[in-house]
């Protein structure tokens, strides 16, 4: 965002006459795509009403809208807190194929079905050979996937020529569900791959979904149900693109007190794992950060996660559960990580639901709290810069709290912008930055902020 410096951020205003509408509650992050040669980009939204829309990012005009089928009413599910249930996890874009991939819960014959769609970004048409019924595809491989108890909350991702969908359970942890990662080759949707937790539960539900360092996939699991021996819960897994997971300790970390976390529903899987690098005296040090509902930060070596209790660093960094998705940015020879949560060691000054950690390379690496931001709400932070490093600004929505857009200097935490309350924000909502604007998704509509 070259034009969005610290000074100019103070001039941010809502974009007049930008008020696109669509049907349904919005939990997924809006996405941005610009067709080759087009004058303006498109915002793509998928709602709980199973309506997917492409909206002109400049004018707000709807370019196309596609209804994928009836969503599942909450009355058809054993538990949960989203009504109706349709598209929840953030979709993913394959730019080379101009295709959008997403999971939607479709009510068919009175029962919910998880169906994975591939939609043309040009006009919203369903690609030939799609959708894929997840339960049927896994049944063909001898696996039992119950679409009534499984929910799809985390963001999808693409690595190579495969996209990956994470699954967990519903709010309330009802019934028999597992943590699943389902991999679907872009060109061969019937050739699904999968990985699943051994124990019941262990859902992969964090809004940030599946992380990747370009070589491997990283997922965090939540609490297992009734496990007397560790069965893949409260853990971070490194998976290969073919979803193979070895039994070696190098490929998994689990909290030492996993059983106590199970009992307290204090999921390690409250956020997605965050792979990043930090510069040190010996060059770049690769790390993975895990943040959980247990209020702790775990720093891991991505090449050797060392099994149960094998973190490089384990420190309490919050006073309440950590959820949503973290965001990392480089700053003064360290890595800064912003997350939604009330910090346990905030410096003097305003405090709220935004905490920024400072992580320095070393053996072991060091974690400190750089600053905390006065936000009330449960959005997920993003970071903009003017050139990849300069003028970092941490943005966060006070979703289901003060419902305002907040912006802070990334180095000091000094407030730069606080907007007026916005209607219709859902918890975990994540804004997106593109074309010199900030775009925010809400129930049935989008907001845009820019510099006039």
């Amino acid at each position: 965002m070259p034009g969005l410096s610290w000074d100019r951020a103070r001039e941010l205003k809502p974009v007049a006459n930008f008020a696109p509408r669509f049907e349904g509650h919005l939990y997924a992050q809006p996405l941005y795509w610009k067709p080759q040669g087009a004058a303006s980009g498109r915002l793509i939204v998928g709602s709980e009403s199973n309506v997917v829309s492409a909206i002109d990012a400049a004018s707000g005009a709807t370019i196309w809208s596609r209804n994928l089928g009836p969503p599942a009413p909450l009355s058809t599910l054993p538990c949960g807190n989203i009504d109706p249930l349709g598209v929840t996890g953030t979709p993913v874009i394959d730019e080379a194929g101009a295709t959008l991939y997403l999971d939607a819960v479709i009510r068919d014959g009175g029962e919910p079905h998880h169906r994975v769609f591939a939609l043309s970004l040009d006009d919203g048409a369903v690609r030939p050979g799609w959708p894929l019924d997840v339960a049927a595809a896994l049944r063909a491989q001898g696996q039992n996937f119950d679409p009534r108890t499984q929910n799809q909350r985390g963001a999808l991702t693409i690595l190579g020529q495969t996209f990956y969908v994470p699954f967990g359970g519903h709010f309330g942890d009802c019934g028999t569900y597992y943590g699943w990662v389902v991999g679907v080759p872009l060109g061969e949707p019937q050739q699904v791959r999968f990985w699943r937790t051994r124990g019941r539960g262990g859902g992969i539900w964090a809004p940030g979904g599946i992380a990747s360092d370009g070589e491997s996939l990283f997922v965090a699991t939540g609490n297992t149900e009734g496990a007397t021996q560790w069965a893949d819960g409260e853990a971070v897994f490194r998976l290969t693109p073919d979803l193979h997971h070895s039994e070696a300790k190098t490929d998994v970390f689990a909290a030492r007190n996993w059983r106590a976390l199970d009992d307290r529903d204090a999921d390690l899987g409250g956020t997605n794992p965050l792979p990043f690098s930090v510069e040190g005296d010996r060059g770049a040090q690769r790390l993975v950060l895990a943040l959980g509902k247990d209020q702790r930060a775990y720093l891991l070596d991505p090449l050797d996660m060392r099994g149960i209790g094998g973190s490089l660093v384990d420190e309490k960094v919050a006073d309440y559960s950590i959820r949503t998705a973290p965001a990392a940015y480089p700053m003064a020879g360290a890595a800064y990580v912003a997350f939604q949560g009330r910090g346990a060691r905030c410096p003097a000054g305003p405090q709220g639901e935004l905490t920024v950690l400072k992580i320095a390379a070393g053996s072991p690496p060091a974690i400190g709290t750089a600053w905390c931001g006065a936000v009330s709400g449960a959005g997920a932070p993003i970071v903009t810069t003017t050139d990849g490093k300069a003028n970092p600004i941490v943005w966060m929505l006070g979703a289901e709290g003060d419902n305002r857009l907040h912006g802070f200097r990334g180095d000091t935490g000094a407030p730069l912008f606080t907007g007026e309350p916005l209607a219709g924000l859902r918890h975990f909502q994540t804004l997106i930055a593109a074309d010199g604007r900030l775009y925010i998704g809400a129930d049935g509509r989008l907001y845009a902020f820019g510099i006039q």
Side-chain angles (χ1 to χ4, degrees):
M1 302 283 282
L4 196 53
S5 65
W6 288 333
D7 289 337
R8 299 215 68 193
R10 304 178 193 277
E11 304 170 21
L12 205 66
K13 295 180 180 179
V15 176
N17 301 318
F18 186 91
R21 301 285 179 172
F22 53 86
E23 180 186 351
H25 301 158
L26 188 67
Y27 285 80
Q29 182 186 28
L31 299 179
Y32 175 87
W33 177 69
K34 189 173 184 178
Q36 190 171 5
S40 62
R42 300 177 181 183
L43 298 165
I44 311 297
V45 293
S47 78
E48 297 292 351
S49 294
N50 283 334
V51 174
V52 182
S53 302
I55 294 164
D56 188 284
S59 68
T62 299
I63 298 170
W64 55 258
S65 186
R66 172 75 58 176
N67 190 316
L68 304 179
L74 186 57
S75 60
T76 65
L77 303 170
C79 65
N81 61 353
I82 300 175
D83 190 15
L85 186 66
V87 177
T88 307
T90 297
V92 65
I93 287 174
D94 171 33
E95 291 198 42
T99 300
L100 179 77
Y101 295 95
L102 59 92
D103 176 272
V105 178
I106 308 291
R107 187 183 188 185
D108 188 354
E111 294 293 327
H113 297 262
H114 281 278
R115 290 184 179 151
V116 176
F117 287 80
L119 304 181
S120 165
L121 284 169
D122 293 319
D123 59 9
V126 180
R127 296 291 193 193
W130 302 84
L132 175 76
D133 187 285
V134 175
L138 291 171
R139 191 181 308 118
Q141 299 196 33
Q143 300 296 312
N144 181 31
F145 177 97
D146 185 350
R148 293 184 68 254
T149 58
Q150 298 284 166
N151 194 21
Q152 203 287 295
R153 182 65 189 86
L156 283 66
T157 196
I158 291 176
L159 180 59
Q161 293 300 304
T162 302
F163 74 92
Y164 300 89
V165 191
F167 291 92
H170 297 287
F171 176 82
D173 285 345
C174 54
T176 300
Y177 72 93
Y178 298 88
W180 290 85
V181 178
V182 177
V184 186
L186 302 184
E188 299 178 288
Q190 298 302 323
Q191 303 302 312
V192 297
R193 307 161 183 171
F194 65 90
W195 175 86
R196 197 202 79 175
T197 55
R198 292 172 297 163
R200 184 165 63 91
I204 302 168
W205 64 270
I210 304 170
S212 175
D213 60 2
E215 300 173 359
S216 303
L217 303 166
F218 295 88
V219 297
T221 60
N223 56 289
T224 44
E225 301 288 335
T228 56
Q229 295 185 331
W230 180 71
D232 300 337
E234 317 290 4
V236 174
F237 287 88
R238 181 178 63 204
L239 304 174
T240 60
D242 64 359
L243 297 184
H244 172 73
H245 170 68
S246 73
E247 297 300 320
K249 292 182 179 180
T250 54
D251 292 335
V252 63
F253 160 78
R256 189 182 305 277
N257 61 335
W258 64 266
R259 188 173 300 178
L261 298 185
D262 274 2
D263 293 341
R264 291 163 39 208
D265 190 23
D267 297 15
L268 178 63
T271 71
N272 58 283
L274 181 67
F276 66 98
S277 296
V278 58
E279 292 295 329
D281 295 337
R282 299 181 179 179
Q285 183 177 14
R286 295 174 59 187
L287 296 167
V288 170
L289 175 67
L291 299 163
K293 288 165 63 179
D294 66 347
Q295 310 166 13
R296 308 190 73 81
Y298 302 89
L299 279 175
L300 313 174
D301 180 345
L303 301 181
D304 184 6
M305 294 195 285
R306 305 194 300 185
I308 296 176
S311 59
L312 302 174
V313 177
D314 168 3
E315 292 189 18
K316 181 179 179 180
V317 296
D319 283 336
Y320 297 98
S321 296
I322 305 172
R323 299 181 178 88
T324 75
Y329 57 102
M331 194 82 221
Y336 280 45
V337 177
F339 67 86
Q340 185 271 326
R342 189 172 293 272
R345 297 178 297 177
C346 293
Q351 299 181 17
E353 299 295 327
L354 172 62
T355 301
V356 177
L357 303 177
K358 180 180 179 181
I359 300 173
S363 183
I367 297 180
T369 300
W371 53 269
C372 300
V375 181
S376 172
I382 71 165
V383 181
T384 62
T385 67
T386 50
D387 64 359
K389 291 186 178 180
N391 291 276
I393 304 174
V394 179
W395 301 95
M396 182 175 153
L397 295 167
E400 297 188 3
D402 62 33
N403 290 316
R404 300 173 186 267
L405 171 63
H406 298 264
F408 303 86
R409 278 184 59 144
D411 57 347
T412 66
L416 297 174
F417 178 84
T418 302
E420 293 298 315
L422 304 173
L425 299 185
R426 295 284 172 172
H427 62 280
F428 306 162
Q429 184 54 246
T430 310
L431 68 156
I432 188 169
D435 281 353
R437 290 179 174 179
L438 301 177
Y439 296 97
I440 297 167
D443 285 354
R445 68 159 299 166
L446 294 176
Y447 300 94
F449 287 78
I451 298 171
Q452 308 302 318

